[in-house]
Amino acid sequence: MQRSKKWIGATLTAVLLGGVLAGCSSGDGNGNENAKGNANGNAAKPADATAAAGTNATPAAPSEKPDDKTPIKITWFVDQDYYKKNWDPVNNLLDKMITDDTGVSIDFSSGTPEKLSALIASGDIPDVVTVDKGNPQRGVLEKSGIMSPLDELIAKYDPDFKVPQSMQDWFRNPDGHFYGYASFFWAKETFKEGDSIRSNQGLYARKDIMDQLGIKPEDFNTKDGLVAALRKVKESGTKYNGFTVTPAYFESWVIGNFFGAPREDASGNLVDRERTPEMLEAYKFLNQLNREGLMPEDSQTLDQNQLQEKVANGAVFAITNKNLDWSALYQKDPKALFVHVGPVTGDAGNKPYVDPVNASGWTLSMINSKTKYPDRIIKLFDYLSTDEMSLNVNYGPKGAAWDFDENGKVKPSDAFNALNAEDANKAKLKYGNGTLQWLINWMPIQRTAPASVTPDAVAKQESAEYFATFTYDMLPFESITPLGGTDEGGINAKIEENRKKQRAKMILAKSEADVEKYFNDEIEMEAKLGYQKFYDYENKQFQDAKKSLGIEFAWPTNQKK
C-alpha cells in the first residue's frame, strides 16, 4: 500500500486537537514504497551544528543589501491532483504572513503526473514544480536542464541557506548536483536528544473490552497469549453499537516485522522479507486466527475506508494499523479507547521491529531554470523551510493561531480552537493551517506538539512513543524499488499482483500444511516471472544506498557485530 497524499493534507489539523502525526507510511508485501532516491555513492557528511534544517529563523541575505520584498507573483505546480489552494493574502493569515515577509504571491496549479508530463512536453513549465520523489517525471526534470541545481542557486543567491547534508547527498544527481528540497525529510544530523522517527505500524486493542474480559496488555507479548485474548473476545460474543465485535484485523507484514523478519543478511545483501522463515511463521499464525474465527475472511478484501468504518463503529477489538483512526469512536464513547499492547514475538524470540515513516520524505520542490526570479524563489525556499515556518505552515501563523506555552509546546489560540470546532474548513481558509506543506520539516512539529489532554490524545502519544522504540533506520531501504516503465518495474508489478493473491490464499487456507505449500508455490511462480533480475536490481540499489550513506550494514542486528 502506498501513502495517501490526501490523508497527509487532511490529517495535519488533527495535531491541533492533541494528536501527533508521525508522517505517512504503509507497507506493501515487500515493505517498500514506489520511491527512489538518487544516491550516487557519496558518503553523507556530518553537518555542523548550524546546518540543521531551518535553524535560521529568517532567510539571510548574501550581501549587505536588505532582502528584496518588491511584490512579485510566481507560478507553482504540484503533481497531486487533490491539492487546491487559492492564494488569498487578504483573508488567509498564512498567505498574508508569507507575502508580507517576502513580497511573494503564489499562483498554484495542480494535477496528475500525466498533466506534469504534458507541461514538460509543451515547455510551459511553472516557476516551481513539486513532484513526488518516486515519480519518473522527477528524473526528466533533473536531467533535462529544465530545473536549476539548488546548490548553485544557494551559492549564488543565498549562501546562508542551510540544507541538511543528508538531504543533499541522498538526492544528489549523478551530475553532482541536487535539484529539489524534500518535504517530510528526517535529517538524522538535526536530531536532538529524545527525537525519534515514528511509525504507523503497531498493535492496538480496545481497553474497555480488555478490562471487561480481564485481558492484560502483556497477554499480547506471545502468540499463545494473543490467541487466548482474541478467543476471550470471540467466546464472550461481545456486542457494541449493534455489532458483534470482531477480534482482530491484522496485516501480515506487520506481524512478520514483529517476528523479526530481517531485511539484510550477515554478508550485507538485501533480504526479501516475504521469503523469510519469519514471514512464513506470520502467515501460519494469521491462518490459525482465521481458522479459529478470530480474524475474518474479509480481512483480505476490505479496503482502508471500509476498515476505518468498522473501527469507527466500534466493531473491532484489535488492529495493527495506526492509520485506522479511532478518534471518531472515542468522541462518541470516551470509554472506547484503543491502547498499545504487545508487540507479539515469534518462536525464535527475535527482537520485534516496525517500519518507520519514510525517512527520505515525500515530495521534491524544484526551481525552473528559466524563471525570472531565481534569487527570490531560493530565498522563499529558505524561509519556508525554517523550523518556525514549519510550525506556521502546520498550525497557521504564530500569535494568531498558536503560541508556545510555558513548556515550549504549541498551544492553539482560543480563536482558532473556536473556529476549528465550528468548521475546520473555515479555520483552514482563515489561518492556512496544513495548506502549504511542500517544504515542511516534521521534527520541530513533533518536538513541540500540543500537550495531550484527553485520554485519547494521551493514549495516541504514548503509543507513538512506545512503538518508536521498535523502529530502525529505513533510509537505506527506501531507494530500492524499481520505477514503473522499466523491465524490473514490470516484473515487480507482476510479483506484487501474485503475492496479493497468494497472501490471501495462505491466510484463508484450510490447514497449516496448505500455507506452506502456497508459500513455496509463490517462490516457484516468481522465478518464472523473472524474480532474479528484480532482486539483483534491488540489491544493487541497496548497496549503492549504503555506500552513499557511508555504512557497511543497514539492519540493526548486523550493525551490532
Side-chain angles (χ1 to χ4, degrees):
M1 294 182 296
Q2 291 189 339
R3 85 179 76 216
S4 166
K5 277 67 172 188
K6 292 186 180 181
W7 182 87
I8 291 181
T11 311
L12 289 170
T13 33
V15 176
L16 300 167
L17 305 177
V20 174
L21 174 65
C24 305
S25 175
S26 303
D28 58 18
N30 288 328
N32 302 320
E33 291 197 62
N34 190 17
K36 182 182 185 299
N38 272 340
N40 73 334
N42 294 331
K45 305 173 185 66
D48 62 39
T50 63
T55 51
N56 44 322
T58 57
S63 68
E64 296 293 326
K65 295 195 315 181
D67 285 343
D68 184 0
K69 295 185 181 179
T70 305
I72 62 169
K73 178 176 280 189
I74 66 171
T75 54
W76 190 324
F77 178 83
V78 179
D79 76 340
Q80 307 295 319
D81 57 357
Y82 79 89
Y83 181 68
K84 309 297 177 189
K85 180 173 175 63
N86 295 315
W87 198 256
D88 184 9
V90 174
N91 301 299
N92 186 294
L93 295 177
L94 177 68
D95 296 354
K96 182 180 188 308
M97 169 184 274
I98 294 171
T99 297
D100 287 351
D101 287 351
T102 67
V104 177
S105 295
I106 305 172
D107 180 11
F108 277 106
S109 60
S110 62
T112 62
E114 289 72 26
K115 182 177 178 180
L116 177 56
S117 291
L119 291 175
I120 294 172
S122 71
D124 185 18
I125 310 296
D127 296 306
V128 179
V129 172
T130 293
V131 59
D132 187 298
K133 72 178 190 289
N135 284 352
Q137 289 84 356
R138 171 192 155 196
V140 175
L141 292 169
E142 290 183 346
K143 297 173 184 177
S144 61
I146 294 174
M147 295 294 156
S148 291
L150 285 194
D151 48 319
E152 291 187 349
L153 294 180
I154 290 170
K156 184 174 183 180
Y157 298 114
D158 191 6
D160 290 331
F161 184 6
K162 304 301 182 183
V163 178
Q165 190 67 45
S166 58
M167 184 189 295
Q168 296 183 44
D169 291 340
W170 188 249
F171 290 108
R172 199 174 301 283
N173 195 271
D175 65 9
H177 299 292
F178 74 98
Y179 288 81
Y181 193 97
S183 62
F184 297 95
F185 187 90
W186 299 76
K188 295 296 284 292
E189 69 268 34
T190 71
F191 279 27
K192 300 177 181 178
E193 185 177 354
D195 288 344
S196 61
I197 300 181
R198 304 291 172 83
S199 175
N200 285 326
Q201 299 175 356
L203 187 56
Y204 313 92
R206 284 267 299 273
K207 186 176 186 303
D208 55 335
I209 297 176
M210 289 170 60
D211 291 344
Q212 177 185 333
L213 300 178
I215 299 171
K216 306 296 182 185
E218 55 269 25
D219 293 341
F220 295 82
N221 292 345
T222 65
K223 290 196 295 185
D224 288 344
L226 177 52
V227 170
L230 299 182
R231 283 172 182 160
K232 284 184 179 181
V233 176
K234 180 190 177 189
E235 292 166 2
S236 70
T238 298
K239 292 188 179 295
Y240 185 89
N241 197 26
F243 297 95
T244 299
V245 174
T246 300
Y249 280 96
F250 294 157
E251 286 98 347
S252 58
W253 51 88
V254 181
I255 300 299
N257 286 350
F258 287 162
F259 290 174
R263 303 197 67 180
E264 180 186 46
D265 66 21
S267 299
N269 290 307
L270 181 71
V271 170
D272 184 343
R273 286 186 293 193
E274 280 290 305
R275 292 179 165 221
T276 62
E278 291 83 2
M279 277 307 304
L280 176 57
E281 182 186 358
Y283 285 124
K284 289 179 177 180
F285 179 63
L286 294 175
N287 172 254
Q288 176 189 354
L289 299 187
N290 173 255
R291 285 187 286 110
E292 292 195 27
L294 305 176
M295 192 172 83
E297 290 189 12
D298 68 8
S299 65
Q300 302 308 298
T301 58
L302 295 181
D303 62 25
Q304 183 89 351
N305 290 332
Q306 291 168 320
L307 284 172
Q308 177 66 65
E309 185 177 356
K310 283 182 172 287
V311 170
N313 288 330
V316 182
F317 170 65
I319 56 176
T320 55
N321 187 342
K322 184 183 175 184
N323 286 337
L324 294 172
D325 189 20
W326 51 84
S327 294
L329 173 64
Y330 172 81
Q331 289 169 6
K332 290 183 289 187
D333 179 6
K335 293 181 180 178
L337 181 69
F338 276 87
V339 296
H340 66 82
V341 294
V344 61
T345 54
D347 293 339
N350 297 333
K351 179 183 175 180
Y353 287 99
V354 292
D355 291 338
V357 299
N358 267 11
S360 61
W362 171 22
T363 60
L364 287 178
S365 291
M366 306 179 181
I367 300 174
N368 189 341
S369 60
K370 296 182 179 179
T371 181
K372 294 187 293 184
Y373 310 110
D375 55 336
R376 300 289 297 277
I377 296 175
I378 196 63
K379 291 181 180 180
L380 178 69
F381 276 28
D382 187 349
Y383 168 82
L384 289 175
S385 68
T386 61
D387 281 9
E388 185 155 317
M389 280 310 297
S390 286
L391 293 170
N392 290 329
V393 163
N394 190 57
Y395 297 110
K398 182 183 178 186
W402 66 278
D403 214 322
F404 290 115
D405 66 14
E406 62 276 10
N407 297 313
K409 300 294 186 181
V410 165
K411 182 180 180 181
S413 67
D414 292 341
F416 175 87
N417 281 336
L419 184 57
N420 193 58
E422 175 192 330
D423 189 324
N425 287 326
K426 284 184 179 179
K428 196 177 291 286
L429 288 172
K430 179 176 180 178
Y431 294 100
N433 49 295
T435 64
L436 191 58
Q437 64 267 50
W438 307 118
L439 284 89
I440 200 169
N441 174 15
W442 195 256
M443 187 53 75
I445 298 170
Q446 181 169 291
R447 289 183 192 130
T448 61
S452 300
V453 178
T454 67
D456 181 43
V458 171
K460 286 182 176 179
Q461 177 71 14
E462 290 176 348
S463 295
E465 293 173 352
Y466 177 71
F467 282 110
T469 65
F470 296 97
T471 62
Y472 59 97
D473 186 357
M474 202 167 74
L475 188 57
F477 302 94
E478 289 182 21
S479 68
I480 64 175
T481 304
L483 295 174
T486 63
D487 289 346
E488 294 85 359
I491 295 170
N492 183 39
K494 293 176 183 177
I495 287 174
E496 282 304 307
E497 184 180 356
N498 256 23
R499 286 185 176 181
K500 184 176 180 180
K501 294 175 183 176
Q502 290 298 106
R503 188 178 300 129
K505 287 177 68 174
M506 285 187 282
I507 292 173
L508 304 179
K510 301 284 187 188
S511 69
E512 185 176 292
D514 284 340
V515 176
E516 191 151 355
K517 177 183 182 302
Y518 296 145
F519 184 86
N520 293 325
D521 287 347
E522 174 61 21
I523 292 175
E524 292 181 11
M525 287 187 283
E526 289 176 3
K528 297 175 183 177
L529 292 173
Y531 177 85
Q532 192 59 47
K533 182 176 183 179
F534 161 71
Y535 171 80
D536 289 344
Y537 173 92
E538 287 207 326
N539 191 39
K540 182 181 184 305
Q541 294 296 109
F542 178 58
Q543 303 307 325
D544 289 347
K546 289 194 294 180
K547 184 178 180 182
S548 175
L549 294 169
I551 59 175
E552 182 179 3
F553 294 107
W555 192 242
T557 54
N558 289 338
Q559 292 172 335
K560 294 174 182 178
K561 292 181 179 179

